[in-house]
Structures are given as structure tokens and as C-alpha cells.
Amino acid sequence: MRESFGTALVTGGGSGLGRATARHLAAQGCRVAVLDCDLAAAESVAKDIGGLGLGCDVSDTAAVGAAFAKVQAVFATAPRLVVNCAGIGTAGRILPRDGALPIAAFERTLRVNLLGSYIVLSHAAQAMAGLAPMADGARGLIVNTASVAYQDGQIGQAAYAASKGGVAALTLPAARELARFGIRVMTIAPGLFETPMTEALPEDARAAITAQIPFPARLGAPEDFALLVGQIALNPYLNGEVIRLDAAVRLAPR
Ligand code: NAP
């Protein structure tokens, strides 16, 4: 077990997995900055947990830089724990029936899910590198969110799976490079979780996926994800790894 990180920033913190994570970290005693492109949602969560709400598009480098500067100004320190939950769930075939190739949709998915995670990771690393090391030499922890789709992407998930594959792949090189600063980098690859992102799925698609989940045979709860973030924070030897959080599911092609 290690000492508390004290300050945290959670992207996508206005909803779903990010919101549960922000709440969990606050309950563990962290001061939490809640960042989301939906400022009202971020502020609402921040108000509940006594944190700081920030409106920001993670794919906008200048805006992310300004958000980190605001955290520094308000908390009088950089966040030691940064959790990348902001993301979009997109679906669409490579060859849709209407014949129009969805290149722009692919680009947007990579921009938010992969580039956005990288922009936040970069700013987090820069901010953490300036912090004094804690007793065990650690300066901070960055947790990214991929998806089991990075390994078992279904038909229609080419863009989403590619974006999450990028997030998974950058985990090890980032952990290796940032090791000299005492910054760990981890990624969680969730299965299907009960959040606004999956509420939009048609009932038959949800039922088909739930039927594939061995045990517990239910969709993940956002609190299951938040718990794992806290567990990764507590275990100083976890680094450079992608953890599937999926109740042993392996998704079929469709
Ligand atoms: P969610 O409830 O939709 O939460 C995502 C949050 O991120 C939303 O508040 C969203 O705002 C925000 N966001 C989207 N684009 C953003 C941007 N460019 N800049 C800043 N904020 C942005 O979804 P979730 O289910 O919690 O998903 C969280 C992460 O887990 C995502 O990366 C997702 O791909 C991943 N994941 C989810 C599941 C699942 O089953 N739920 C499974 C595997 C992986 P808007 O609502 O305004 O777009």
C-alpha cells in the first residue's frame, strides 16, 4: 500500500465511468478536478464532491493546457493522479450500405479517443514531472481507458477498436519513458458497462452482449471501474500494463 495521491484530475468526469471515478477518489480523500466537454455536467459532479469543474475538449491542446494551469492555480499543485475517461463510442461499417466511406467518422473517433488521451497524458506527465517525489520516489500515476474492443472489436467497431488499440499500445512506451520521473502509466480495458454511452445501444444488442458475459453475468457498474482505478493507485508495482475489466467476456464478431 502507498500513501494517498491527494490530488486528481478525471477527464470525462461529468458522466459514466469518469463520474464514478471522480466520486470514488473524492471518497478516498482526494481533491478532484472534474473535466468534461460538458461544463455543466462537470460542475454538477464537482459540486457534489467538493471538487473543481472544468469544461474542456480533450482533443484541443491549448484548452487542455489551460485546464492543467487552472488545476495548478486552484489546488496549488499539479494532480498526482490523472484518469483519462473522456471518449466517444462510435459504430459504423467500413463499407456502409449507402456506399459513402466513413473516413471523417474514423478521423473524429481517433481524434477524441486516441489523440485526446495522448494530449492529456502529455500534459499530465509534464505537470507531474515538476512535483516533488513522494516517499517511495513516485511522482504520479496516469490511468487511460481503452476497451475490450481493442482486442475483440466487433463488426462496425473498426474506428473505435483502432482508437482503443492505440491507447493500449501507448501504455508500455509511456510507462518506460516516464519511469525516470517516477510516473506510472496504466490502462483499463472495460467490457460493457452500464453508462449513458451504452444506454443508446438497442435492447437486442445489449441482451446479446449480456448473454456472452460468463460471471458476473451482468453489465459492469461504473463503480467496478472506479474501484479498479483506486486499486491501481494503491499498488505501486502495477505499471505499463493493460488490464481487462470484463467478467471474462470475449466478444463474438457481432
Ligand atoms: P459517457 O457516459 O458517455 O462519458 C464520457 C464523457 O466524456 C461524457 O461526459 C462525454 O461528454 C465526455 N467527452 C466526450 N468527448 C469528449 C471530449 N472531446 N473532451 C472532453 N470530454 C469528452 O461514457 P462512458 O461509458 O463513461 O465511457 C468512458 C470511457 O470508457 C470512454 O473512453 C469509453 O470509450 C470507455 N469505455 C466505455 C465502455 C462502456 O461500456 N460504457 C466500455 C469500454 C470502454 P458528452 O456526453 O457531452 O459527449
Side-chain angles (χ1 to χ4, degrees), residues 11-19 35-38 41 55-60 84-89 108 111-113 116-117 145-149 160 163-164 188-198 201 219-220 222 225:
T11 78
S15 176
L17 306 184
R19 178 170 58 194
L35 182 154
D36 203 286
C37 58
D38 182 342
C56 169
D57 176 347
V58 293
S59 66
D60 178 340
N84 255 320
C85 285
I88 52 174
R108 177 170 167 264
R111 188 165 181 79
V112 174
N113 292 354
S117 297
T145 307
S147 161
V148 294
Y160 185 70
S163 72
K164 296 303 189 177
I188 300 173
L192 199 75
F193 276 63
E194 196 81 62
T195 72
M197 185 179 279
T198 48
L201 277 178
L219 300 193
F225 177 92

Side-chain angles (χ1 to χ4, degrees), residues 69-152:
K70 180 97 185 268
V71 175
Q72 175 73 44
V74 174
F75 289 174
T77 178
R80 282 205 189 266
L81 171 55
V82 169
V83 187
N84 255 320
C85 285
I88 52 174
T90 56
R93 289 183 179 237
I94 298 163
L95 297 179
R97 289 197 211 316
D98 68 5
L101 301 181
I103 309 294
F106 187 91
E107 190 173 5
R108 177 170 167 264
T109 307
L110 260 69
R111 188 165 181 79
V112 174
N113 292 354
L114 178 54
L115 181 63
S117 297
Y118 179 75
I119 289 171
V120 172
L121 177 144
S122 303
H123 283 86
Q126 190 177 47
M128 288 173 188
L131 288 167
M134 293 184 283
D136 61 359
R139 284 195 170 78
L141 165 65
I142 301 165
V143 180
N144 303 309
T145 307
S147 161
V148 294
Y150 99 93
Q151 290 181 319
D152 355 309

